[in-house]
Amino acid sequence: MGRLLEGLGLLSQFLLEPPFAGARLFRRLLAALRLPACVARACPAQRAKSNRPGSVVTRKGLSHGFWHQDRFLKALASARAKQAKRCPSPASATMSHQTPLGSLVPQANCLDLWRDKNDQLVRQAKVAQDLSFHLRRQQLAQDSLEGLRRLLDSLQGLPAAVPVLPLELTVICNFITLRASLAQGFTEDQAQDIHRGLERVLETQEQLGPRLECGLRGLWSSVLCASSLQPELLPVLHHLAGLQIAFWLSTDCLEDLTLLLQTLNGSQSNASEDLLMLLKTWNPPAKESNAPLTLQDAWGLRAVLLTASAYRQGLQELITGSLPRALSSLHEAASGLCSRTVLVQVYTALGTCLRKMGSPQRALLYLVAALKGGSTWGPPLMEASRLYQQLGNTAAELESLELLVEALSITHSSEISHLLIGVELLLPQPDPASLLHCGTQSQVKHLLASRCLQTGRAEDAAEHYLDLLALLLDDSEPKFFPPHCPPGPCMPEVFLEAAAALIQAGRAQDALTICEELFSRMSVLLPKMPRLWEDARKGTKESPHCPPWVSAMHLLQGQAWMRLGAQKEAISEFSRCLELLFQASPKDKEQGPASNCEQGCTSDMALQQLRAAALISRGLEWVASDQDTKALQDFLLSIQVCPGNQDASFHLLQTLRKLGRRDEATALWRRLEAQTKLPQENATWSVPLYLETCLSWIHPPDRETLLEEFRTSLLETCDL
């Protein structure tokens, strides 16, 4: 019997060695067991020996790392049974009676070896976690992962047995934890590992059968509701269930997750479906003091799940507008277990929530805490700029955006992640439409430049736009979205906005250079313009964006020439703009909803305002050259193409008065007086920024003064 136990110890050591690395150990095993020839023939190591050259044993033709191990174990069990018959003893008789040949239970020393191997690998992974040298840390963690893989293969190569299951499930939990942390996320492979572990539990309960077809959800129900489930399995099963919850949370399988938590808590079908409440109710059983070591126990996993669920729920409530509930959930997430990176995100979300609730000072406190909490400065700086914009503090808003541009230009070393399941692994992927998304450096630079242009800081806007164009034309910077993608501005729009900023800053010659660069990039499309307009009118797939941009380019060139005093060139550019615009037909509304960029570039209102801007600009040039009759025609035409534009009416009033057409001027003045007394409605339409800047240039300086002067002159005429 002593030789048999010694042989089993050598067998377990042999199974833990790399495949066929211990040929000498195998010979000691045979000698210790004194196995008959039938057992030796059943071992594939002996069969493979005859098929290999020299003394090198190959794994060709063998599978799963154990190569017909069931036949070997059955032969070993048969040899033990024969030895027990020859030397009967009470212990051996009891063992033979309780253990069928097909479900061999390893002896205590085998379990000790496997457990020691698990504990050694866990300690090795924890040592790797504390290392600061990245390469050494990764190598040691990968070695631990490979060791756990081999140990799991060893355990699952044997028939499932109740005494071994706690250790086997613990190894599965350690393997999944380390693998997911190294991969920075869950994959379908982890689900397969959990599936296999549950199958092994059901094999010992003799319940494996049709339930295999019901998936993980059905397997969990079968395992947790089994009447013959051993109490010693509960702690490790709850640990495995925690990993299943983490996997389902990361993949948004919230219905399956809720049902599993209800089963773990012993809840009925009509129990609460609130995820946070179910997680708080979940009480994993404490593991025994002599249990195998784990990288992360069930209680540590529960704390991570609570924080991740609270944060995800808070973000969802923030999106839907349930601000008080979002504030409560985010406060709970901030008080939970999370890394500095996640804490920065939570504080930023709290700042967003408080800003929307009308508490800017409290929001600012959280944003300052977020900036102090880590190196991820993008989201809190973006939210700070929104907060200052809401408060009307333009200087602080622009300063926040400038700091954000600098922060995005710095490459930060990624924070060393722990070899555990962390909150960041359970959060959704960043969404460009999210309030916590700060964008790329070029996108923030564009926002900074456009805000400078909108707030009257033309010189700063011009410099920022030139930096932005240099950044965009560099191949290393991600480009803006093309015209059919709504999230970002189009490249031609950036050129046009830059030209408008340069004109506003008094740098007309630089604006002409920018327009020429845009023209050279789009010149290939110029011969196709008539067809493009026709395609736009018919609603075909051909892009209708080019002509409005080219028309706007001519409008800006005309404004630049006008600033330079070149009247002839300015009128020529305005005429080219109008020639292109009057070939266009507004898109039919029946064509369906347009993207954001389409609405900005080719909407009916944008085209009308663009035509009005070109006509008024040319009319003002006619007035400057004392050609009032031609100016009168352009102002009248601008009123026809864009009836809602009052700028044309005021310029027309001045021209009629100059030409001495008093009756027409008086009638127009009365209409304008009546319109000014009506309540002004906020405009529900918007135009591109470059067009908005152009419209500001043709806006009469003081409408009220003009109306008052005309009223005075009219009264004086009546007195006479």
Side-chain angles (χ1 to χ4, degrees), residues 62 216 243 254 262 299 461 477 506 511 550 588 643 649 671:
L62 307 177
L216 276 171
L243 291 171
L254 300 184
Q262 289 176 348
W299 279 95
E477 172 65 20
V550 176
D588 296 333
S649 299
R671 287 201 303 269

PDB file of all heavy atoms in Angstrom, residues 62 216 243 254 262 299 461 477 506 511 550 588 643 649 671:
ATOM      1  N   LEU A  62      -1.201  13.295 -30.122  1.00  0.00           N
ATOM      2  CA  LEU A  62      -1.804  13.251 -28.804  1.00  0.00           C
ATOM      3  C   LEU A  62      -2.610  14.524 -28.595  1.00  0.00           C
ATOM      4  O   LEU A  62      -2.313  15.551 -29.171  1.00  0.00           O
ATOM      5  CB  LEU A  62      -0.700  13.146 -27.741  1.00  0.00           C
ATOM      6  CG  LEU A  62       0.286  11.987 -27.998  1.00  0.00           C
ATOM      7  CD1 LEU A  62       1.374  12.016 -26.955  1.00  0.00           C
ATOM      8  CD2 LEU A  62      -0.429  10.664 -27.978  1.00  0.00           C
ATOM      9  N   LEU A 216     -25.568  28.994 -20.466  1.00  0.00           N
ATOM     10  CA  LEU A 216     -25.049  29.328 -19.139  1.00  0.00           C
ATOM     11  C   LEU A 216     -26.166  29.632 -18.145  1.00  0.00           C
ATOM     12  O   LEU A 216     -26.077  29.262 -16.971  1.00  0.00           O
ATOM     13  CB  LEU A 216     -24.118  30.536 -19.259  1.00  0.00           C
ATOM     14  CG  LEU A 216     -22.670  30.228 -19.658  1.00  0.00           C
ATOM     15  CD1 LEU A 216     -21.930  31.521 -19.954  1.00  0.00           C
ATOM     16  CD2 LEU A 216     -21.965  29.469 -18.549  1.00  0.00           C
ATOM     17  N   LEU A 243     -17.687  36.165 -11.139  1.00  0.00           N
ATOM     18  CA  LEU A 243     -17.032  36.344 -12.432  1.00  0.00           C
ATOM     19  C   LEU A 243     -18.039  36.304 -13.574  1.00  0.00           C
ATOM     20  O   LEU A 243     -17.905  37.028 -14.564  1.00  0.00           O
ATOM     21  CB  LEU A 243     -15.968  35.266 -12.624  1.00  0.00           C
ATOM     22  CG  LEU A 243     -14.750  35.378 -11.707  1.00  0.00           C
ATOM     23  CD1 LEU A 243     -13.869  34.140 -11.826  1.00  0.00           C
ATOM     24  CD2 LEU A 243     -13.938  36.626 -12.033  1.00  0.00           C
ATOM     25  N   LEU A 254     -27.969  42.308 -19.014  1.00  0.00           N
ATOM     26  CA  LEU A 254     -28.491  42.662 -17.695  1.00  0.00           C
ATOM     27  C   LEU A 254     -29.620  41.747 -17.246  1.00  0.00           C
ATOM     28  O   LEU A 254     -29.798  41.521 -16.045  1.00  0.00           O
ATOM     29  CB  LEU A 254     -28.972  44.117 -17.713  1.00  0.00           C
ATOM     30  CG  LEU A 254     -27.894  45.162 -18.053  1.00  0.00           C
ATOM     31  CD1 LEU A 254     -28.471  46.560 -17.952  1.00  0.00           C
ATOM     32  CD2 LEU A 254     -26.691  45.020 -17.153  1.00  0.00           C
ATOM     33  N   GLN A 262     -30.776  37.024  -8.442  1.00  0.00           N
ATOM     34  CA  GLN A 262     -31.974  36.603  -7.721  1.00  0.00           C
ATOM     35  C   GLN A 262     -31.847  35.158  -7.249  1.00  0.00           C
ATOM     36  O   GLN A 262     -32.255  34.814  -6.141  1.00  0.00           O
ATOM     37  CB  GLN A 262     -33.195  36.772  -8.615  1.00  0.00           C
ATOM     38  CG  GLN A 262     -33.583  38.217  -8.868  1.00  0.00           C
ATOM     39  CD  GLN A 262     -34.737  38.347  -9.843  1.00  0.00           C
ATOM     40  OE1 GLN A 262     -35.115  37.384 -10.504  1.00  0.00           O
ATOM     41  NE2 GLN A 262     -35.291  39.551  -9.956  1.00  0.00           N
ATOM     42  N   TRP A 299     -15.777  38.555  -2.179  1.00  0.00           N
ATOM     43  CA  TRP A 299     -16.141  39.840  -1.578  1.00  0.00           C
ATOM     44  C   TRP A 299     -15.439  40.999  -2.272  1.00  0.00           C
ATOM     45  O   TRP A 299     -16.022  42.079  -2.457  1.00  0.00           O
ATOM     46  CB  TRP A 299     -15.813  39.817  -0.082  1.00  0.00           C
ATOM     47  CG  TRP A 299     -16.882  39.120   0.705  1.00  0.00           C
ATOM     48  CD1 TRP A 299     -16.909  37.824   1.095  1.00  0.00           C
ATOM     49  CD2 TRP A 299     -18.114  39.698   1.156  1.00  0.00           C
ATOM     50  NE1 TRP A 299     -18.062  37.535   1.774  1.00  0.00           N
ATOM     51  CE2 TRP A 299     -18.822  38.668   1.834  1.00  0.00           C
ATOM     52  CE3 TRP A 299     -18.680  40.954   1.075  1.00  0.00           C
ATOM     53  CZ2 TRP A 299     -20.070  38.883   2.413  1.00  0.00           C
ATOM     54  CZ3 TRP A 299     -19.916  41.171   1.657  1.00  0.00           C
ATOM     55  CH2 TRP A 299     -20.604  40.140   2.313  1.00  0.00           C
ATOM     56  N   ALA A 461      -8.515  83.769 -32.899  1.00  0.00           N
ATOM     57  CA  ALA A 461      -9.170  82.770 -33.749  1.00  0.00           C
ATOM     58  C   ALA A 461      -8.343  82.495 -34.996  1.00  0.00           C
ATOM     59  O   ALA A 461      -8.189  81.331 -35.401  1.00  0.00           O
ATOM     60  CB  ALA A 461     -10.567  83.251 -34.137  1.00  0.00           C
ATOM     61  N   GLU A 477      -2.017  63.166 -37.642  1.00  0.00           N
ATOM     62  CA  GLU A 477      -3.208  63.561 -36.883  1.00  0.00           C
ATOM     63  C   GLU A 477      -4.456  62.962 -37.513  1.00  0.00           C
ATOM     64  O   GLU A 477      -4.655  63.046 -38.719  1.00  0.00           O
ATOM     65  CB  GLU A 477      -3.331  65.085 -36.865  1.00  0.00           C
ATOM     66  CG  GLU A 477      -4.639  65.602 -36.267  1.00  0.00           C
ATOM     67  CD  GLU A 477      -4.788  65.284 -34.792  1.00  0.00           C
ATOM     68  OE1 GLU A 477      -3.751  65.018 -34.143  1.00  0.00           O
ATOM     69  OE2 GLU A 477      -5.916  65.286 -34.299  1.00  0.00           O
ATOM     70  N   GLY A 506      -8.350  91.286 -40.039  1.00  0.00           N
ATOM     71  CA  GLY A 506      -7.659  92.250 -40.878  1.00  0.00           C
ATOM     72  C   GLY A 506      -6.529  91.671 -41.704  1.00  0.00           C
ATOM     73  O   GLY A 506      -5.646  92.413 -42.162  1.00  0.00           O
ATOM     74  N   ALA A 511      -6.227  85.433 -46.031  1.00  0.00           N
ATOM     75  CA  ALA A 511      -7.506  84.778 -46.316  1.00  0.00           C
ATOM     76  C   ALA A 511      -7.581  84.357 -47.776  1.00  0.00           C
ATOM     77  O   ALA A 511      -8.094  83.270 -48.099  1.00  0.00           O
ATOM     78  CB  ALA A 511      -8.659  85.719 -45.975  1.00  0.00           C
ATOM     79  N   VAL A 550     -17.811  75.987 -52.677  1.00  0.00           N
ATOM     80  CA  VAL A 550     -17.129  76.822 -53.669  1.00  0.00           C
ATOM     81  C   VAL A 550     -17.788  78.194 -53.745  1.00  0.00           C
ATOM     82  O   VAL A 550     -17.102  79.227 -53.854  1.00  0.00           O
ATOM     83  CB  VAL A 550     -17.126  76.121 -55.041  1.00  0.00           C
ATOM     84  CG1 VAL A 550     -16.499  77.023 -56.096  1.00  0.00           C
ATOM     85  CG2 VAL A 550     -16.376  74.798 -54.971  1.00  0.00           C
ATOM     86  N   ASP A 588     -35.352  68.755 -51.886  1.00  0.00           N
ATOM     87  CA  ASP A 588     -36.742  68.473 -51.553  1.00  0.00           C
ATOM     88  C   ASP A 588     -36.817  67.877 -50.161  1.00  0.00           C
ATOM     89  O   ASP A 588     -35.995  67.072 -49.766  1.00  0.00           O
ATOM     90  CB  ASP A 588     -37.334  67.485 -52.574  1.00  0.00           C
ATOM     91  CG  ASP A 588     -37.378  68.108 -53.956  1.00  0.00           C
ATOM     92  OD1 ASP A 588     -37.466  69.353 -54.064  1.00  0.00           O
ATOM     93  OD2 ASP A 588     -37.309  67.335 -54.920  1.00  0.00           O
ATOM     94  N   PRO A 643     -36.832  86.326 -47.783  1.00  0.00           N
ATOM     95  CA  PRO A 643     -37.761  87.322 -47.228  1.00  0.00           C
ATOM     96  C   PRO A 643     -37.519  87.625 -45.757  1.00  0.00           C
ATOM     97  O   PRO A 643     -37.832  88.724 -45.292  1.00  0.00           O
ATOM     98  CB  PRO A 643     -39.138  86.671 -47.445  1.00  0.00           C
ATOM     99  CG  PRO A 643     -38.919  85.652 -48.529  1.00  0.00           C
ATOM    100  CD  PRO A 643     -37.519  85.154 -48.351  1.00  0.00           C
ATOM    101  N   SER A 649     -33.627  94.821 -46.316  1.00  0.00           N
ATOM    102  CA  SER A 649     -34.653  95.880 -46.260  1.00  0.00           C
ATOM    103  C   SER A 649     -34.064  97.194 -45.778  1.00  0.00           C
ATOM    104  O   SER A 649     -34.396  98.274 -46.310  1.00  0.00           O
ATOM    105  CB  SER A 649     -35.797  95.444 -45.343  1.00  0.00           C
ATOM    106  OG  SER A 649     -36.413  94.266 -45.839  1.00  0.00           O
ATOM    107  N   ARG A 671     -43.354  99.531 -42.890  1.00  0.00           N
ATOM    108  CA  ARG A 671     -43.305  98.072 -42.684  1.00  0.00           C
ATOM    109  C   ARG A 671     -42.215  97.712 -41.661  1.00  0.00           C
ATOM    110  O   ARG A 671     -42.434  96.867 -40.787  1.00  0.00           O
ATOM    111  CB  ARG A 671     -43.040  97.362 -44.015  1.00  0.00           C
ATOM    112  CG  ARG A 671     -44.218  97.362 -44.964  1.00  0.00           C
ATOM    113  CD  ARG A 671     -44.103  96.241 -45.995  1.00  0.00           C
ATOM    114  NE  ARG A 671     -42.848  96.333 -46.748  1.00  0.00           N
ATOM    115  CZ  ARG A 671     -42.713  97.000 -47.887  1.00  0.00           C
ATOM    116  NH1 ARG A 671     -43.768  97.673 -48.385  1.00  0.00           N
ATOM    117  NH2 ARG A 671     -41.564  97.017 -48.522  1.00  0.00           N
TER     118      ARG A 671
END
